[in-house]
C-alpha cells in the first residue's frame, strides 16, 4: 500500500503492523542478489529507542565479508549487465523499483520508526515519498545524459564520453535511514555503477529491503549489495578497500575526515562528503510576516527531534525584534512538539536515536546553562520510557558558547541577538560549517546581500527547509564537498572519457 493510502491508519493498526514486521524482518547481508550470513557469524543488536527493547539481532559484516561484496560488485559491474544495459531498459527497471518502494511504504515506514524513533507520520509525509521521487528523478535523466564531440582538426573525431565510475561504496547515517541511503544509491545506480551500501548500525533494517526490491524490479544480482555492521569495522573496510572506486558518505564531519584519510591510505578513490551543520536562520527586523518567521524558527529545529543536518540550530534575531521574537517563540513553539510513541500518527516528537544520543544532548543542555545562556523551556527528559528530550529553548546565547558552535543534533534551539546586517552575516559565517541558512527580510536588497555573503550551500529566503529534486543539497566548508539530489549528483557518479579518433583520408 502506498504512503498516501496509509495516512488513515490508527495507532493500534501501526502497532499491529510493527509486530508483524518484526516477525519476518530480514537481518542478513544482501550480496549478489540474495540474503546470506557473514563469514565470521558476528551480529549486533538494534534497539527501539522508544521502549529500549531489542528489535533484532543483525548480521554484521567484517573485512572478509566486505571483500566478498566488493568482488561481487566488481564482477557484476564488469559483466555489463547493468552498466551497458540500454538506457531505456535501465530506466524502466528504476521506475518499477520506485513503484515497488511506494507499494512497500508500510514496511519501510514501520522499520525506520522502530529503528530510530522517527514519527510514523514523518515517514509517510517525507521519507518514503521523497525516496520514491528521488529514484524517479534520477531514472528520468538516464537517456538524457550526453557526451560531446569537440572541435578539432578535420581528420580527427574527438568524443567526450560519460561513463559510470565502477564500484561505489555508500556509507549512510541513521537520521533518515531510507532517504539518505536513496540519495546515494539512486544516482549511483542510474549512472550505471555497482553499489555496496553500509547503513548506520543504529538503523540497519530498511536498507536490506531496499536492496531486495531492486532485484525484484529486475536489477541484476550483484549490482546493489548491503553490508551492515559498525562503522569502525564495516564502514572502514569499505572505505579502505582498494577495489572501491568511489566512496559516497553522509554523516558527521569527524567521520567525513576519516573517509578522506582512508582514500589516501588506499587507492585514492573519489570521496563525496555530506556532513554536519550548525545552520543559522537570520531574522532581520523588517521580517514582515512574524508568524511565519517564528513558526519556521521552531519547526526548523524541533522537526525530526532536531536530528537534521541542516537544522536551524542558531536563531539569529536583530535587536529591535529580539524580545518580541522570543515571546512569540515561547508562546507558539513551547508546546508545538509533544513527545509520544512514534507509532502513534498523532505524535510529532519521537525519542532520540539512542540512550547515548539522549545523554549527549542533555549534557549539552547542562553546558548551555553553565555558559550563562537563559533556559526558557525544556532542558530535561519527559517522564516516559525511552530516549526522549523535551524541546528546549536557550536565549541570550552568544556565538562563542559551545552550544552555538557544536552540532548538538537534538531539539535544542539557541537564540542569539545581533545588531545590523553586517554583524548578522559575521555571526552566521563564524562557524566551521556551511550547510544551509535561512534569511528573513522584506527588503530585496538585504536578501540579495545575505544570499551573496552567507557561506552556505543552501540558502532559503523567507522560508526554511523547502525544496525539490532539482535543488543541489550539500555544504560549504566542513559541511562537505558534494551535492545530493539534482542532476549534478548523478553526474558525480560518472567520469569522462576522451576518445580521440585519428581518421584515415
Ligand atoms: P556518523 O558519522 O557517526 O556515522 C555515519 C556513518 O558512518 C554510519 O554508517 C557509521 O556506521 C559510519 N562510520 C562511523 N565511524 C566510521 C569509521 N570510523 N569508518 C567508516 N565508517 C564509519 O554520523 P551519524 O551519527 O550516523 O549521523 C549524524 C551526522 O550525519 C550528523 O553530523 C549530521 O549532520 C550528518 N548528516 C548530514 C547530512 C547532509 O546531507 N549533509 C544528512 C544527514 C546527516
Amino acid at each position: 500500500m502506498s504512503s498516501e493510502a496509509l495516512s488513515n491508519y490508527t495507532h493500534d493498526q501501526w502497532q499491529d503492523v510493527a509486530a508483524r514486521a518484526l516477525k519476518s524482518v530480514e537481518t542478513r547481508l544482501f550480496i549478489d542478489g540474495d540474503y546470506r550470513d557473514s563469514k565470521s557469524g558476528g551480529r549486533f543488536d538494534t534497539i527501539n529507542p522508544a521502549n529500549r527493547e531489542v528489535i533484532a539481532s543483525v548480521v554484521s559484516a567484517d573485512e572478509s565479508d566486505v571483500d566478498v561484496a566488493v568482488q561481487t560488485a566488481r564482477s557484476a559491474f564488469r559483466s555489463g549487465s547493468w552498466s551497458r544495459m540500454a538506457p531505456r531498459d535501465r530506466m524502466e527497471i528504476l521506475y518499477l523499483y520506485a513503484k515497488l518502494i511506494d507499494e512497500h511504504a508500510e514496511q519501510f515506514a514501520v522499520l525506520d520508526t522502530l529503528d530510530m524513533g522517527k514519527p510514523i507520520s514523518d515517514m509517510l509525509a517525507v521519507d518514503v515519498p521523497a525516496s520514491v521521487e528521488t529514484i524517479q528523478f534520477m531514472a528520468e535523466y538516464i537517456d538524457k545524459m550526453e557526451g560531446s564531440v569537440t572541435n578539432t582538426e578535420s581528420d580527427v573525431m574527438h568524443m567526450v564520453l560519460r561513463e559510470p565510475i565502477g564500484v561505489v561504496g555508500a556509507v549512510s547515517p541513521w537520521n533518515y535511514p531510507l532517504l539518505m541511503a536513496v540519495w546515494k544509491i539512486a544516482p549511483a545506480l542510474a549512472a550505471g555503477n555497482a553499489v555496496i551500501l553500509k547503513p548506520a548500525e543504529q538503523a540497519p533494517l530498511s536498507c536490506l529491503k531496499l536492496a531486495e526490491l531492486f532485484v525484484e524490479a529486475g536489477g541484476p544480482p550483484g549490482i546493489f549489495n548491503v553490508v551492515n555492521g559498525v562503522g569502525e569495522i564495516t564502514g572502514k573496510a569499505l572505505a579502505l578497500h582498494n577495489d572501491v572506486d568511489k566512496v559516497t558518505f553522509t554523516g558527521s564531519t569527524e567521520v567525513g575526515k576519516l573517509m578522506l584519510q582512508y582514500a589516501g591510505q588506499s587507492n585514492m578513490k573519489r570521496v563525496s562528503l555530506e556532513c554536519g551543520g550548525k545552520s543559522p536562520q537570520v531574522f532581520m527586523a523588517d521580517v514582515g510576516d512574524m508568524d511565519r518567521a517564528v513558526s519556521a524558527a521552531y519547526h526548523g529545529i524541533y522537526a525530526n527531534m532536531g536530528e537534521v543536518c541542516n537544522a536551524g540550530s542558531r536563531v539569529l534575531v536583530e535587536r529591535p525584534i529580539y524580545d518580541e521574537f522570543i515571546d512569540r517563540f515561547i508562546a507558539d513553539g513551547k508546546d508545538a512538539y509533544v513527545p509520544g510513541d512514534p507509532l502513534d500518527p498523532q505524535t510529532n516528537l519521537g525519542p532520540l536515536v539512542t540512550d547515548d544520543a539522549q545523554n549527549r544532548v542533555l549534557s549539552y543542555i547542562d553546558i548551555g546553562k553553565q555558559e550563562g545562556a537563559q533556559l526558557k523551556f525544556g532542558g530535561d527528559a519527559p517522564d516516559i520510557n525511552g530516549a526522549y528530550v523535551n524541546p528546549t529553548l536557550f536565549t541570550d546565547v552568544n556565538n562563542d558558547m559551545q552550544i552555538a558552535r557544536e552540532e548538538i543534533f537534538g531539539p535544542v534551539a539557541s537564540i542569539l541577538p545581533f545588531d545590523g546586517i553586517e554583524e548578522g552575516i559575521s555571526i552566521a559565517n563564524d562557524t566551521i560549517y556551511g550547510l544551509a541558512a535561512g534569511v528573513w527580510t522584506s527588503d530585496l536588497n538585504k536578501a540579495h546581500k545575505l544570499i551573496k555573503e552567507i557561506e552556505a550551500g543552501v540558502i532559503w529566503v523567507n522560508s526554511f527547509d523547502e525544496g525539490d529534486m532539482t535543488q543541489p543539497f550539500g555544504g560549504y566548508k566542513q559541511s562537505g564537498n558534494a551535492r545530493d539530489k539534482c542532476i549534478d549528483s548523478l553526474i558525480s557518479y560518472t567520469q569522462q572519457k576522451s576518445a580521440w579518433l585519428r581518421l584515415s583520408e
Side-chain angles (χ1 to χ4, degrees):
M1 207 184 290
S2 78
S3 42
E4 217 178 315
L6 296 168
S7 54
N8 291 329
Y9 271 27
T10 63
H11 189 187
D12 285 347
Q13 278 173 300
W14 280 116
Q15 283 174 322
D16 288 346
V17 172
R20 262 185 283 125
L22 290 185
K23 275 191 195 137
S24 60
V25 72
E26 187 51 73
T27 58
R28 291 174 291 170
L29 313 178
F30 192 85
I31 296 176
D32 206 12
D34 212 350
Y35 290 106
R36 63 171 72 175
D37 284 315
S38 67
K39 288 185 173 181
S40 65
R43 285 179 171 271
F44 64 97
D45 286 342
T46 177
I47 291 166
N48 179 352
N51 58 19
R52 301 186 163 114
E53 285 171 11
V54 173
I55 302 169
S57 164
V58 180
V59 172
S60 157
D62 67 7
E63 288 85 351
S64 63
D65 298 302
V66 169
D67 191 45
V68 171
V70 174
Q71 285 181 35
T72 303
R74 173 64 62 195
S75 90
F77 177 71
R78 285 224 171 104
S79 77
S81 61
W82 183 245
S83 57
R84 291 198 287 273
M85 183 182 278
R88 296 276 347 157
D89 294 345
R90 214 192 297 155
M91 288 167 82
E92 289 309 324
I93 290 175
L94 289 184
Y95 286 140
L96 177 56
Y97 184 33
K99 188 162 168 275
L100 287 176
I101 291 173
D102 192 38
E103 284 170 10
H104 288 77
E106 181 186 271
Q107 196 172 357
F108 283 115
V110 86
L111 288 179
D112 278 0
T113 291
L114 289 169
D115 250 351
M116 57 73 66
K118 186 191 292 278
I120 197 90
S121 51
D122 288 2
M123 284 303 302
L124 299 180
V126 181
D127 299 50
V128 177
S131 299
V132 171
E133 206 185 336
T134 302
I135 293 169
Q136 287 167 340
F137 178 86
M138 295 300 167
E140 278 158 17
Y141 196 65
I142 292 175
D143 67 351
K144 318 290 182 297
M145 200 171 357
E146 290 180 342
S148 59
V149 176
T150 67
N151 261 336
T152 50
E153 53 187 285
S154 62
D155 52 357
V156 163
M157 164 85 96
H158 177 224
M159 298 180 290
V160 183
L161 312 174
R162 233 170 228 295
E163 298 191 331
I165 293 177
V167 173
V168 173
V171 180
S172 58
W174 48 261
N175 61 338
Y176 292 78
L178 175 69
L179 182 59
M180 291 302 100
V182 168
W183 277 10
K184 303 298 188 199
I185 61 109
L189 291 171
N193 298 283
V195 177
I196 301 134
L197 170 65
K198 206 302 278 177
E201 56 270 38
Q202 296 86 348
L205 299 175
S206 59
C207 287
L208 291 168
K209 190 73 191 169
L210 190 62
E212 182 190 316
L213 291 185
F214 175 71
V215 174
E216 195 176 322
I223 291 296
F224 181 8
N225 310 278
V226 178
V227 288
N228 272 310
V230 297
E232 294 76 6
I233 296 173
T234 317
K236 185 175 175 182
L238 190 58
L240 269 175
H241 201 290
N242 276 313
D243 207 20
V244 170
D245 301 301
K246 166 166 177 159
V247 157
T248 174
F249 169 79
T250 300
S252 62
T253 291
E254 191 188 344
V255 178
K257 290 180 183 177
L258 289 177
M259 292 290 160
L260 292 168
Q261 288 184 24
Y262 298 150
Q265 287 160 12
S266 53
N267 59 342
M268 230 170 73
K269 56 179 65 67
R270 292 162 171 72
V271 181
S272 287
L273 302 174
E274 303 285 353
C275 298
K278 194 73 193 174
S279 299
Q281 286 221 63
V282 182
F283 295 91
M284 302 302 299
D286 61 6
V287 62
D289 187 340
M290 191 72 144
D291 289 336
R292 275 190 60 236
V294 169
S295 158
Y298 64 77
H299 286 304
I301 180 64
Y302 298 147
N304 206 47
M305 295 75 72
E307 295 169 325
V308 181
C309 50
N310 61 275
S313 50
R314 290 186 300 145
V315 180
L316 277 50
V317 183
E318 200 175 8
R319 193 84 62 181
I321 58 166
Y322 185 67
D323 291 336
E324 183 192 353
F325 196 97
I326 291 171
D327 289 346
R328 293 229 202 167
F329 192 112
I330 295 170
D332 299 348
K334 185 166 180 280
D335 299 318
Y337 283 79
V338 181
D341 181 357
L343 284 174
D344 182 345
Q346 303 306 318
T347 294
N348 63 1
L349 192 87
L352 297 185
V353 64
T354 57
D355 284 354
D356 281 353
Q358 182 194 36
N359 292 334
R360 201 197 60 245
V361 172
L362 290 174
S363 72
Y364 269 115
I365 291 169
D366 282 342
I367 290 168
K369 290 189 221 162
Q370 285 158 26
E371 288 179 311
Q374 297 297 309
L375 179 67
K376 294 291 185 184
F377 61 75
D380 54 1
D383 193 15
I384 45 178
N385 184 24
Y388 293 85
V389 172
N390 280 317
T392 296
L393 173 64
F394 280 115
T395 62
D396 301 340
V397 176
N398 74 58
N399 209 49
D400 293 330
M401 293 179 182
Q402 213 175 325
I403 56 167
R405 304 202 77 76
E406 296 177 15
E407 190 181 33
I408 298 176
F409 227 53
V412 181
S414 292
I415 301 190
L416 298 79
F418 69 90
D419 292 296
I421 192 165
E422 296 298 344
E423 192 185 28
I425 292 167
S426 155
I427 295 173
N429 287 340
D430 180 18
T431 167
I432 62 165
Y433 298 109
L435 185 51
V439 302
W440 294 78
T441 174
S442 46
D443 180 333
L444 188 59
N445 294 308
K446 284 186 192 160
H448 194 241
K449 183 176 171 68
L450 289 159
I451 292 171
K452 284 189 98 163
E453 295 192 21
I454 290 181
E455 297 154 354
V458 183
I459 302 207
W460 289 284
V461 180
N462 295 334
S463 76
F464 195 70
D465 207 8
E466 295 181 339
D468 66 21
M469 281 305 303
T470 60
Q471 175 192 41
F473 188 86
Y476 279 21
K477 295 156 65 173
Q478 292 186 40
S479 287
N481 62 8
R483 295 294 179 267
D484 281 331
K485 303 162 86 180
C486 77
I487 297 302
D488 278 359
S489 157
L490 198 158
I491 300 293
S492 77
Y493 293 91
T494 66
Q495 55 192 344
Q496 284 184 322
K497 179 179 277 174
S498 154
W500 184 271
L501 273 79
R502 170 68 60 189
L503 306 170
S504 48
E505 314 243 319

